Amino acid sequence: MGVVRMASVVLAGAVALGVANGQESKLGPENPFYKASTLPFQAPAFDRIKDADYEPALLAGMAEQSEAIRTIADNPAVPTFENTIVAMERTGDLLDRVDSAMSAVAGAYTNPTIEKIQQVMAPKMAAHEDEIYLNGKLFHRVETIWNERALLKLDPESERLLEITYQRFVHAGARLNEADKAKLKELNAEESTLSNAFSRKLLAATKAGAYVTADEAALAGMSPAQIAAAAAAAKTRGSQGYALPLQNTTQQPALEQLSVRKTRQALFEQSWTRAEKGDDNDTRSTIARMAHIRAEKGKLLGFDTYAGWKLENQMAKTPEAAIKFMDALVPAATARAAREQKDIQAVIDSAAKDPGTAAAQQGGFQVQPWDWEFYAEQVRKARYDLDERQVRPYFEIDNVLQNGVFYAANRLYGITFKERHDLPVWAPDVRVFEVFNADGSHLAIFYCDYWKRDNKRGGAWMSSLVRQSKLLGTSPVLYNVANFTKPAEGQPALITFADVTTMFHEFGHALHGMFADSEYPSLSGTSVPRDFVEFPSQFNEHWALNPEVFAHYAKHFQTGAPMPAQLVAKIKQSADFNQGYALTELLAAAELDMQWHTLPASLPEQAPDDFEKAALAKKNLLVEAVPPRYRSSYFSHIWASGYAAGYYAYLWSEMLDDAAYQWFEEHGGLTRANGDRFRAMVLSRGNSEDLNAMYDRWLGGEPKIGPMLKQRGLVQDGAAK
Ligand SMILES: [Zn+2]
């Protein structure tokens, strides 16, 4: 059923679905969404879809689902699992079609028309969802079936669907009285409008925030290819000179190379203040209001806070459990970050004593956030003699994709890939692959869209165009999007090892979607709680450094020579380098998220900058040189992408994935037997059973924090505290 969409992972799925509030909307056959796509596997006809097609199709989709839901709710027959729960699963196909196609385009290739449609439709979609989950008659039927569940003798997946459906109604407020339901609808509509406004402002702010200079000398330290890319970026935005577009995180990749301190500071400040300039793109009043509305929503739904309500159906179950888990990581992370900072300061100070060695370093100052990456890179070079520029030639993107990402999946699961050129795409850069099982049968369609564009949302994500369901007879059609720096025309497509890791990560989500083998769409693939959904993706990252996989893809783009063993060893040794910084900035963002969402409704709206500072201080995470990975004002995950009170999920999932990889290592590593067992017991199962039970059965016990600290090289720091 279209309403319950959790298939979008990371920054996707900003569009929740909803019904047309009684609006009459008829859709003609000239609209490409009128019927299921006739392309193979119902792949969307991106070549036929025009911007003007979305709005009428969304309205018609909502109206159609409303009508179907009304029919189910008003059915004079006694409520049964088939005529109510399964019937609901069958609703919303038109809405699902148009929403999933539009989400893809809105995320990766948007324009002002689509932005406007999203803005207009967001509150209607929210109202549509409310109309379903706050429909008293429908809930009465669901509740009746729920109360009789012991007598129904349902198969386990059907039992799970009943449980999840019932919980979703209760979670959405089905038990509230009419007055409170009306209040909740208002709060939901306002939250949705604010969330949409946040996205719009942030996209504009990020675009406007690019560092622009006419002076090539300001970019000293960057390679000629990167300088050419900066010149091209300036040209596409109609500026003279050079532009460094902002990435969505606080730290910017170029900070690692820029040797002119003034440039670093300027770029960092562009990033840090991007959405706090007091202009139309300033997001602070929007997020302050949103946090307050969410607190009121939590209270209305019977919880102390929004986070209490939000985590009810997650693996962690309560904010206290998530906070306890994060708090336990803070000492090891900050102790390591402090040691890293000392190493960095030593490099700065040595340069001050001996100005002849490195004029660019200047020296004589305390390390600031904009210095961190630059000097960390020097510490890395000094300690491991590893230079990012040395390794990039071994990471040509197509080679990484086919001989790395696809290869690992082939070794583990036996699947194979064939590029297709007959399916239309949303942008020229997009590639399409058909995926086959080991026996040659069709498994899925996979799109990838890796290069950064100004009309693409920041970050990387996976989402579905068609979700797998045996009930609906559909197989997965899904995609990965990222924001890698595009090479200048004629330059080889070399990426960083961080980009390589991102490809493995997003492909892990894709595998979770591809292997889905569910009867019901609501339980299929990535439709799992937030603190589980990052587990398959983060688990898949581990294969990037697996010796067999690495040797297979890390080859020089010109000579085809394998990466020299010495360089490979350096990459591995340096894998836990800077992990204090990395974990601290993640924890800072995650704790910040949780504090925004554990505000009681009785407090007034907070001033974001003051709140942020106090929140970090309270957790011993106000470290001057290590700012949060996302600042409140550009923390898109929590204000626009479904990760509200959920950013801890990345760390929680890390505990799961590190324990899982350790299991693989203890059982023979990269083998079909291990892969097939993991596919059968976890990756194909979606949300078809309790996820704690599913995980523990596969692992043979409960996950512990130890493998995670070990993986990050923090065992020593953890033990010291
Ligand atoms: Zn992810």
Side-chain angles (χ1 to χ4, degrees):
M1 118 168 199
V3 164
V4 188
R5 293 199 64 217
M6 292 195 58
S8 306
V9 180
V10 189
L11 290 178
V15 184
L17 295 187
V19 180
N21 322 329
Q23 273 150 316
E24 189 64 29
S25 24
K26 289 261 183 291
L27 205 63
E30 73 288 349
N31 190 297
F33 295 110
Y34 177 67
K35 282 208 164 109
S37 165
T38 54
L39 292 172
F41 313 104
Q42 302 184 19
F46 287 112
D47 54 341
R48 285 185 55 216
I49 300 168
K50 296 183 295 293
D51 291 347
D53 295 324
Y54 293 120
E55 191 166 345
L58 284 170
L59 290 170
M62 288 190 271
E64 186 186 282
Q65 188 173 33
S66 284
E67 184 54 38
I69 291 287
R70 252 195 306 280
T71 305
I72 296 167
D74 295 343
N75 188 349
V78 172
T80 66
F81 181 74
E82 274 298 322
N83 76 17
T84 305
I85 308 294
V86 177
M88 285 170 63
E89 286 292 292
R90 293 184 189 276
T91 68
D93 56 332
L94 168 58
L95 188 52
D96 226 358
R97 265 200 307 278
V98 54
D99 174 62
S100 56
M102 191 175 85
S103 294
V105 178
Y109 204 64
T110 194
N111 64 49
T113 309
I114 290 176
E115 281 169 25
K116 183 79 190 154
I117 296 169
Q118 283 195 302
Q119 193 183 339
V120 172
M121 296 307 289
K124 293 185 182 179
M125 302 268 232
H128 175 66
E129 183 158 339
D130 283 346
E131 194 181 298
I132 294 173
Y133 286 104
L134 299 179
N135 179 323
K137 272 205 250 174
L138 184 60
F139 178 59
H140 185 69
R141 292 181 76 88
V142 172
E143 198 173 30
T144 304
I145 301 161
W146 171 250
N147 290 335
E148 291 167 355
R149 65 192 179 282
L151 309 168
L152 298 178
K153 305 250 182 309
L154 295 171
D155 63 88
E157 191 185 334
S158 297
E159 220 169 272
R160 177 70 168 173
L161 179 67
L162 174 58
E163 182 193 355
I164 294 281
T165 307
Y166 173 74
Q167 284 172 354
R168 274 185 185 146
F169 273 89
V170 174
H171 193 72
R175 280 178 164 162
L176 297 179
N177 65 38
E178 289 311 311
D180 284 346
K181 276 185 190 171
K183 177 114 201 284
L184 180 63
K185 283 181 186 176
E186 274 173 35
L187 291 172
N188 283 344
E190 190 181 350
E191 184 189 0
S192 152
T193 302
L194 288 167
S195 175
N196 207 265
F198 172 87
S199 291
R200 201 162 16 87
K201 285 165 186 263
L202 183 57
L203 186 70
T206 304
K207 188 176 173 184
Y211 168 81
V212 180
T213 180
D215 179 14
E216 191 180 322
L219 302 185
M222 298 188 89
S223 70
Q226 288 169 321
I227 291 174
K235 211 167 167 190
T236 57
R237 63 185 59 224
S239 316
Q240 300 289 318
Y242 308 89
L244 302 177
L246 292 181
Q247 298 280 343
N248 63 336
T249 48
T250 296
Q251 284 290 352
Q252 300 297 309
L255 289 170
E256 183 184 297
Q257 287 161 302
L258 291 166
S259 60
V260 179
R261 190 163 191 245
K262 243 169 53 188
T263 308
R264 288 202 303 270
Q265 183 171 355
L267 174 60
F268 180 86
E269 280 172 357
Q270 285 294 95
S271 172
W272 185 244
T273 63
R274 73 184 80 174
E276 304 201 356
K277 298 216 157 81
D279 58 8
D280 281 354
N281 300 332
D282 194 311
T283 60
R284 284 174 292 185
S285 61
T286 308
I287 64 174
R289 177 77 188 144
M290 221 187 305
H292 188 68
I293 282 176
R294 286 175 175 171
E296 285 194 6
K297 196 167 144 178
K299 187 180 166 203
L300 192 64
L301 288 159
F303 292 82
D304 293 338
T305 65
Y306 176 84
W309 170 75
K310 192 77 194 285
L311 268 66
E312 182 192 27
N313 56 13
Q314 301 291 300
M315 265 182 110
K317 300 217 164 31
T318 64
E320 291 72 29
I323 291 168
K324 190 179 161 204
F325 161 73
M326 290 191 286
D327 288 354
L329 295 169
V330 171
T334 50
R336 168 59 67 91
R339 282 210 278 134
E340 291 166 359
Q341 184 166 343
K342 257 172 93 178
D343 292 343
I344 286 170
Q345 193 62 50
V347 176
I348 294 170
D349 294 346
S350 71
K353 280 179 212 129
D354 184 9
T357 53
Q361 289 177 18
Q362 300 148 344
F365 55 86
Q366 286 297 307
V367 58
Q368 294 297 316
W370 49 88
D371 302 314
W372 190 288
E373 296 288 329
F374 181 74
Y375 290 100
E377 181 62 14
Q378 296 195 24
V379 174
R380 188 210 305 263
K381 272 185 229 160
R383 189 158 299 170
Y384 307 105
D385 190 26
L386 180 70
D387 181 342
E388 271 290 336
R389 279 168 296 194
Q390 275 179 287
V391 302
R392 272 179 218 233
Y394 295 90
F395 301 138
E396 193 278 320
I397 193 165
D398 186 56
N399 198 33
V400 173
L401 179 67
Q402 308 219 37
N403 293 317
V405 176
F406 289 172
Y407 174 75
N410 173 266
R411 291 290 306 275
L412 286 165
Y413 313 108
I415 58 176
T416 57
F417 302 81
K418 187 163 186 274
E419 187 155 15
R420 289 185 70 138
H421 299 281
D422 59 328
L423 295 174
V425 294
W426 56 85
D429 286 341
V430 184
R431 299 175 70 184
V432 188
F433 294 86
E434 182 168 1
V435 191
F436 302 90
N437 283 304
D439 65 4
S441 60
H442 171 83
L443 179 65
I445 295 289
F446 171 69
Y447 299 65
C448 49
D449 181 7
Y450 291 125
W451 301 124
K452 181 171 173 60
R453 282 189 288 272
D454 270 346
N455 62 351
K456 191 190 264 192
R457 201 163 44 207
W461 63 94
M462 166 272 181
S463 194
S464 292
L465 293 163
V466 179
R467 200 168 2 163
Q468 179 277 337
S469 161
K470 286 187 233 173
L471 180 76
L472 306 179
T474 49
S475 65
V477 177
L478 39 78
Y479 60 90
N480 281 172
V481 179
N483 271 282
F484 305 153
T485 303
K486 193 171 183 170
E489 195 66 37
Q491 295 294 318
L494 306 180
I495 56 177
T496 66
F497 188 65
D499 295 340
V500 171
T501 308
T502 297
M503 286 171 75
F504 276 88
H505 176 102
E506 296 307 332
F507 197 73
H509 286 306
L511 288 170
H512 198 195
M514 285 179 197
F515 290 148
D517 191 26
S518 292
E519 181 70 17
Y520 306 114
S522 293
L523 302 180
S524 177
T526 54
S527 308
V528 293
R530 287 294 181 202
D531 51 6
F532 187 85
V533 80
E534 294 301 326
F535 158 47
S537 54
Q538 294 181 166
F539 170 75
N540 203 54
E541 285 181 33
H542 288 274
W543 301 109
L545 268 180
N546 174 278
E548 287 172 76
V549 177
F550 190 85
H552 199 258
Y553 73 87
K555 293 182 175 163
H556 196 279
F557 78 101
Q558 282 164 324
T559 64
M563 186 181 279
Q566 209 188 353
L567 198 51
V568 182
K570 282 180 197 168
I571 289 184
K572 288 190 177 161
Q573 283 159 11
S574 65
D576 69 356
F577 176 75
N578 214 34
Q579 285 301 315
Y581 186 100
L583 186 56
T584 302
E585 68 161 1
L586 259 178
L587 279 167
E591 296 263 26
L592 195 52
D593 163 35
M594 207 48 98
Q595 290 199 53
W596 274 114
H597 294 108
T598 47
L599 278 168
S602 53
L603 288 181
E605 285 179 25
Q606 304 291 305
D609 294 343
D610 295 343
F611 178 82
E612 182 172 279
K613 215 168 173 181
L616 293 172
K618 192 171 141 193
K619 293 292 174 181
N620 298 321
L621 285 164
L622 189 63
V623 184
E624 201 183 354
V626 190
R629 185 169 170 83
Y630 300 97
R631 196 181 193 186
S632 304
S633 57
Y634 51 82
F635 203 165
S636 186
H637 291 76
I638 68 169
W639 304 120
S641 305
Y643 275 78
Y647 196 69
Y648 78 94
Y650 287 97
L651 293 163
W652 185 277
S653 300
E654 189 174 322
M655 169 174 69
L656 304 180
D657 78 68
D658 287 336
Y661 191 71
Q662 183 164 311
W663 185 96
F664 266 75
E665 284 190 319
E666 289 165 0
H667 292 80
L670 185 78
T671 68
R672 265 299 291 285
N674 285 344
D676 286 348
R677 181 175 177 274
F678 189 54
R679 175 178 176 174
M681 294 179 77
V682 178
L683 291 181
S684 63
R685 309 270 305 144
N687 197 13
S688 63
E689 64 174 311
D690 177 81
L691 293 161
N692 286 293
M694 179 199 291
Y695 182 93
D696 294 354
R697 186 171 340 109
W698 170 77
L699 185 74
E702 283 182 21
K704 304 250 162 37
I705 210 173
M708 177 178 176
L709 289 177
K710 189 176 146 222
Q711 181 68 30
R712 282 192 180 254
L714 299 180
V715 172
Q716 224 186 335
D717 306 80
K721 288 268 163 176

